């Protein structure tokens, strides 16, 4: 849980690191139940006010195995991108139809061969360079350093590009190993610095990112593959067209759909930076790549239909067309048929990536452990075998799950969490009850309670087992891991207080004292590891508790939700969820409003029928008709 400056005197006191990144409630489990020693007041105060310097924070970060893995993967991914783009050689900066704003002067002596029969080869000898003809009838032009190859303002035709490329190859052949190493190191460390700074920012601020080493490695591998694909496609064209837009946009859209548009935009900027340094050597190319990507990914934060991809791709195509024109104008190019062709091609490729994304997305999700909103919509279909079986065998539990889903989704949206993920997780959170539905209150007939014939510990084992049974069921049906995590964590390590209280009373009656180990009456956990899991835990407990109220007045419902939240906060259930105190208060308010809306009073139709015409300005409604089948 993160620390927020909360001015609520009735909230429990908290303590934690001075950096404000986490809090502890100061109330831990009994040693017999969790093995965690309760901290003294002095230790809690010292931990809250201890200041960690920057050097100490960096040192502590390197001691973290997960952070060391992140640093290694960042360095390795940057190295792979630089090797893929051949960062040791300067890029060839010219393409067909460019118009240089200065004279291009020869830097080294070189020769250029051309056949007289080659289309576009001029016959006159007014071109720069010393002309000679070999025995095969080919012209050989020799150029000395300082010779003007292309004059300023001259449009580069295919021949001029070939001459400039020959001069570029001659220049590269004279480069020393130290020069290549120097440039490679410069590109590598520039890219590494940008990548490292972005990783620190994402680690501290962006919650919607891969949380496992496998997911992070998969994401970085996709970055490297994107750079390789962009480099290959860039080498296929010589007329200045930006064919590398296709892999970069595919990567950006995939990350935006799977995680967040902020993460997609930052990683796309890193890829574009590495690509431009080693290929285009123009800041305008990076503006084009990042600008088009941004115009697409900012609309993909919540994608629940595949048709939206087409609409977003069309919008991105318009932006690509305009950006291409504006960049060419900024570079001093005249708007001609060739420039318009470039713009149309860039727009076309942007639109094509939207169609490609719809087909590629399913192949990206499962290997990388990604669960998109589109997959969540499909997973939450009531015809899912598990949900259909729950409706058949435990209809009351199914109804409870629907209520919790609605409550939890609204609360998640209130704090900016993934509401759809919480909703679908709520559908499956009690799926384990279908194996023994009669052991749970909502599925029992009036006056029939099987727990009356069981010991409290045995009853607790049966109740707690529905979590493990649920995990086994969803895994057997290949439900994605984020849903499995919600099923596993929706009770955390909470205490089954009802049976614990009965067992404690029996212990006192038998003369064994009031001390009773809580470990046998707690869920196995783990505690909620995400905000969505914490929201689901509180929504599940609040819906069940408020349903049991005899007179669910607004005051009682609010008091019950506040009490449950305080109790779980003191029990440490939210310590690892990432929820702040401010967010927890927002969640409480949202849950209270949702439950009040579900429990609102309805007008009695009998009272309405007995009301006389004219009362309160209303007319007496006609008596209800009997159904045809009852006659």
């Amino acid at each position: 849980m993160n620390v927020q400056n909360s001015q609520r005197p009735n909230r429990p006191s908290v303590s934690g690191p001075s950096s404000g990144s986490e809090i502890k409630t100061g109330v831990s489990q009994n040693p017999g139940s969790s093995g965690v020693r309760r901290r003294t007041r002095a230790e809690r105060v010292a931990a809250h006010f201890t200041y960690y310097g920057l050097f100490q924070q960096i040192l502590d970060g390197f001691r973290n195995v997960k952070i060391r893995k992140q640093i290694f993967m960042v360095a390795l991914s940057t190295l792979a991108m630089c090797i893929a783009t051949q960062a040791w050689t300067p890029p060839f900066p010219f393409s067909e139809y460019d118009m240089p704003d200065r004279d291009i002067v020869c830097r080294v002596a070189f020769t250029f061969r051309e056949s007289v029969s080659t289309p576009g080869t001029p016959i006159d000898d007014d071109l720069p360079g010393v002309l000679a003809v070999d025995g095969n009838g080919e012209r050989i032009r020799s150029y000395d350093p300082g010779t003007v190859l292309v004059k300023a303002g001259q449009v580069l035709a295919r021949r001029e590009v070939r001459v400039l490329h020959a001069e570029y190859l001659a220049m590269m052949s004279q480069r020393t190993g130290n020069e290549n190493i120097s440039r490679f190191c410069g590109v590598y460390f520039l890219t590494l610095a940008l990548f490292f700074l972005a990783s620190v920012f994402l680690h501290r601020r962006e919650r919607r990112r891969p949380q496992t080493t496998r997911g992070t490695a998969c994401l970085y591998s996709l970055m490297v593959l994107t750079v390789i694909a962009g480099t290959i496609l860039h080498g296929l064209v010589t007329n200045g067209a930006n064919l590398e837009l296709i892999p970069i946009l595919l990567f950006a859209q995939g990350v935006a759909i799977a995680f967040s548009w902020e993460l997609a935009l930052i990683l796309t900027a890193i890829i574009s930076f590495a690509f431009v340094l080693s290929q285009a050597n123009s800041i305008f190319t990076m503006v084009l790549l990042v600008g088009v990507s941004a115009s697409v990914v900012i609309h993909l934060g919540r994608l629940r239909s595949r048709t939206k991809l087409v609409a977003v791709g069309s919008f991105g195509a318009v932006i690509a067309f305009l950006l291409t024109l504006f960049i060419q104008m900024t570079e001093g190019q005249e708007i001609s048929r060739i420039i318009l062709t470039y713009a149309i091609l860039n727009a076309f490729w942007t639109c094509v990536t939207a169609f490609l994304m719809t087909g590629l997305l399913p192949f990206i999700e499962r290997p990388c452990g990604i669960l998109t909103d589109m997959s969540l919509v499909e997973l939450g279909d009531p015809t899912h075998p598990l949900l259909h079986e729950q409706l058949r065998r435990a209809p009351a539990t199914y109804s409870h799950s629907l209520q919790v889903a609605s409550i939890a989704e609204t609360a998640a949206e209130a704090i900016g969490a993934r509401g759809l993920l919480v909703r679908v997780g709520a559908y499956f959170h009690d799926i384990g009850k279908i194996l023994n539905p009669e052991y749970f209150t909502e599925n029992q007939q009036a006056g029939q309670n099987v727990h009356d014939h069981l010991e409290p510990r045995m009853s607790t084992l049966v109740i707690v087992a529905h979590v493990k049974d649920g995990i086994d069921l969803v895994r057997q049906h290949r439900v994605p891991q984020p849903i499995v995590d919600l099923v596993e964590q929706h009770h955390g390590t909470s205490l089954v207080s009802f049976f614990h209280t009965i067992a404690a009373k029996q212990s006192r009656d038998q003369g064994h004292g009031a001390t009773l180990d809580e470990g046998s009456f707690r869920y196995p956990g783990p505690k909620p590891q995400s905000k969505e899991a914490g929201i689901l835990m509180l929504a599940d407990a609040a819906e069940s508790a408020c349903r049991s109220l005899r007179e669910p007045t607004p005051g009682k419902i609010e008091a019950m939700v506040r009490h449950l939240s305080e109790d779980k906060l003191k029990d440490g259930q939210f310590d690892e969820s990432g929820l702040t105190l401010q967010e927890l208060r927002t969640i409480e308010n949202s849950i209270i409003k949702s439950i009040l809306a579900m429990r609102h009073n309805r007008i009695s139709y009998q009272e309405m029928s007995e009301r006389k015409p004219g009362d309160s300005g209303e007319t007496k409604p006609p008596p209800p008709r009997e159904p045809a089948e009852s006659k």
Side-chain angles (χ1 to χ4, degrees):
M1 258 177 101
N2 298 334
V3 172
Q4 295 276 342
N5 184 18
S6 178
Q7 299 179 353
R8 304 186 185 100
N10 295 328
R11 305 296 287 178
S13 59
V14 299
S15 62
S18 61
S19 61
S21 59
E22 297 180 355
I23 71 169
K24 299 292 183 182
T25 61
V27 180
S28 61
Q29 315 299 337
N30 290 336
S33 60
S34 63
V36 179
R37 181 181 66 86
R38 183 191 294 270
R39 295 189 300 172
T40 64
R41 181 180 181 85
E43 289 174 337
R44 297 198 303 271
V45 172
H48 185 70
F49 289 102
T50 301
Y51 173 74
Y52 293 95
L54 179 61
F55 178 77
Q56 184 64 35
Q57 293 179 18
I58 296 175
L59 190 62
D60 291 343
F62 277 102
R63 291 172 181 170
N64 190 321
V65 177
K66 187 176 181 180
I67 293 180
R68 289 205 300 268
K69 289 182 179 179
Q70 290 276 355
I71 295 174
F72 174 76
M73 286 189 290
V74 167
L76 186 62
S77 301
T78 305
L79 179 63
M81 287 190 292
C82 291
I83 293 176
T85 56
Q86 299 181 0
W88 54 85
T89 59
F92 178 63
F94 305 106
S95 59
E96 196 173 351
Y97 303 112
D98 282 351
M99 185 185 296
D101 56 358
R102 58 181 177 81
D103 292 341
I104 302 177
V105 180
C106 179
R107 294 167 291 180
V108 295
F110 73 100
T111 58
F112 175 69
R113 286 178 173 269
E114 57 183 348
S115 175
V116 179
S117 60
T118 301
T121 302
I123 301 177
D124 58 82
D125 296 332
D126 296 336
L127 296 174
V130 179
L131 177 63
V133 180
D134 64 1
N136 297 325
E138 290 186 343
R139 291 183 175 185
I140 303 176
R141 290 188 180 272
S142 301
Y143 297 88
D144 296 324
T147 304
V148 177
L149 301 178
V150 179
K151 296 182 179 180
Q154 179 182 348
V155 178
L156 298 182
R158 183 175 302 178
R159 181 188 181 280
E160 280 74 20
V161 173
R162 292 173 56 203
V163 171
L164 293 175
H165 191 262
E167 190 266 348
Y168 166 80
L169 293 178
M171 183 72 183
M172 293 301 101
S173 64
Q174 297 184 12
R175 284 177 61 86
T176 63
N178 290 335
E179 291 176 328
N180 291 333
I181 294 175
S182 177
R183 188 180 193 283
F184 181 85
C185 291
V187 173
Y188 175 77
F189 285 111
L190 277 176
T191 309
L192 181 64
L194 179 62
F195 202 166
F196 181 74
L197 291 175
S199 300
V200 172
F201 172 79
L202 294 174
H203 180 76
R204 290 179 175 269
R205 298 295 181 184
E206 183 56 47
R207 186 180 62 87
R208 292 169 294 176
R209 66 181 190 278
Q211 301 297 328
T212 62
T213 303
R214 173 191 172 191
T216 305
C218 184
L219 180 62
Y220 290 166
S221 299
L222 287 176
M223 291 180 63
V224 175
L225 291 176
T226 301
V227 173
I228 294 175
T231 303
I232 294 175
L233 292 177
H234 181 80
L236 295 178
V237 294
T238 58
N239 58 358
N242 299 101
L243 196 59
E244 63 273 9
L245 266 174
I246 295 178
I248 291 178
L249 282 176
L250 286 176
F251 173 81
Q253 292 179 71
V255 175
I257 295 171
F259 301 105
S260 67
W261 69 268
E262 295 93 339
L263 177 63
L265 192 57
I266 291 176
L267 296 184
T268 302
I270 295 173
I271 291 176
S272 302
F273 181 79
F275 184 82
V276 166
L277 280 181
S278 301
Q279 294 295 332
N281 199 24
S282 171
I283 191 64
F284 295 110
T285 304
M286 184 173 178
V287 171
L288 175 66
L289 298 177
V290 176
V292 177
S293 300
S295 67
V296 173
V297 300
I298 59 176
H299 297 95
L300 298 179
R302 289 292 184 266
L303 186 65
R304 300 190 179 186
S305 65
R306 299 185 186 276
T307 55
K308 185 178 179 180
L309 273 173
V310 180
V312 171
S314 301
F315 175 77
V318 175
I319 299 300
F321 179 84
L322 296 177
L323 274 179
T324 304
L325 294 182
F326 295 156
I327 289 173
Q328 296 295 335
M329 293 168 62
T330 304
E331 290 183 330
Q333 306 289 342
E334 296 181 357
I335 303 300
S336 60
R337 182 179 59 85
I338 300 301
I339 302 300
L340 290 175
T341 302
Y342 290 168
I344 293 174
L345 285 176
N346 288 341
F348 173 73
W349 292 327
T350 302
C351 194
V352 164
T353 56
F355 291 92
L356 293 176
M357 196 68 229
T358 59
L360 292 176
L361 195 58
F363 299 97
I364 299 175
E365 290 179 322
R366 187 168 293 277
C368 299
I370 296 170
L371 186 59
T372 64
D373 283 0
M374 289 184 290
S375 298
L376 285 171
V377 171
E378 297 172 357
L379 188 62
D381 193 325
T383 60
H384 190 282
L386 279 179
L387 299 181
H388 182 74
E389 189 69 12
Q390 185 184 42
L391 176 61
R392 187 179 68 86
R393 302 186 61 176
T397 299
Y398 181 80
S399 176
H400 160 72
S401 298
L402 295 182
Q403 299 275 11
V404 173
S406 178
I407 295 171
E409 182 182 29
T410 305
E413 296 290 348
I415 65 169
R418 292 189 68 182
L420 186 58
L421 174 61
V422 182
R423 169 179 281 276
V424 178
Y427 290 159
F428 292 90
H429 81 285
D430 276 344
I431 203 68
K433 292 182 179 180
I434 65 176
L435 299 183
N436 298 292
E438 68 277 4
Y439 284 88
F440 299 91
T441 307
E442 66 268 21
N443 299 310
Q444 294 172 352
Q445 301 295 328
Q448 299 179 3
N449 191 344
V450 294
H451 293 287
D452 294 339
H453 309 287
L454 298 176
E455 291 291 329
R457 292 182 185 273
M458 182 59 65
S459 296
T460 301
L461 288 176
V462 177
I463 295 297
V464 169
H466 86 274
V467 175
K468 183 178 182 300
D469 293 337
I471 295 172
D472 293 338
L473 286 172
V474 294
R475 283 179 175 168
Q476 289 173 9
H477 285 76
R478 293 183 170 274
V479 175
Q481 186 60 38
I483 302 298
V484 178
D485 293 338
L486 293 180
V487 174
E488 185 180 25
Q489 301 166 15
H490 79 276
H491 280 299
T493 58
S494 299
L495 178 69
V496 186
S497 57
F498 180 80
F499 293 113
H500 178 263
T501 302
I502 295 177
K505 183 177 181 301
Q506 291 178 355
S507 178
R508 288 193 300 268
D509 294 343
Q510 295 173 5
H512 298 302
T515 302
L516 190 66
D517 181 18
E518 293 182 356
S520 302
F521 296 90
R522 286 189 176 272
Y523 285 92
K527 296 177 181 179
Q529 301 296 305
S530 64
K531 294 185 179 182
E532 289 79 8
I535 293 169
L536 180 58
M537 167 186 281
L538 186 56
D540 180 31
E543 200 280 335
S544 302
C546 293
R547 184 182 291 272
S548 66
L549 294 175
R550 295 183 179 179
E551 297 181 1
T553 62
K556 288 185 178 181
I557 290 176
E558 180 176 1
M560 176 62 73
V561 175
R562 303 288 187 201
H563 170 73
L564 289 171
S565 178
E566 298 284 347
D567 185 62
K568 293 190 178 296
L569 180 62
K570 292 179 180 178
D571 197 28
Q573 298 302 316
F574 300 129
D575 285 358
E576 302 171 14
S577 66
L579 289 170
T580 65
L581 293 179
Q582 182 179 3
E583 289 173 337
L584 188 58
R585 175 64 75 177
T586 303
I587 294 169
E588 293 173 11
N589 295 334
S590 176
I591 292 176
I592 292 170
K593 292 178 182 179
S594 297
I595 295 179
L596 287 176
M598 293 179 179
R599 301 286 187 269
H600 70 276
N601 295 327
R602 295 182 179 273
I603 300 175
S604 173
Y605 287 97
Q606 182 178 359
E607 293 178 0
M608 291 179 60
S609 62
E610 292 175 353
R611 188 176 298 170
K612 296 180 181 180
D615 290 349
S616 303
E618 297 177 357
T619 59
K620 182 176 180 179
R625 300 176 59 185
E626 294 182 356
E629 58 269 17
S630 65
K631 294 183 180 179

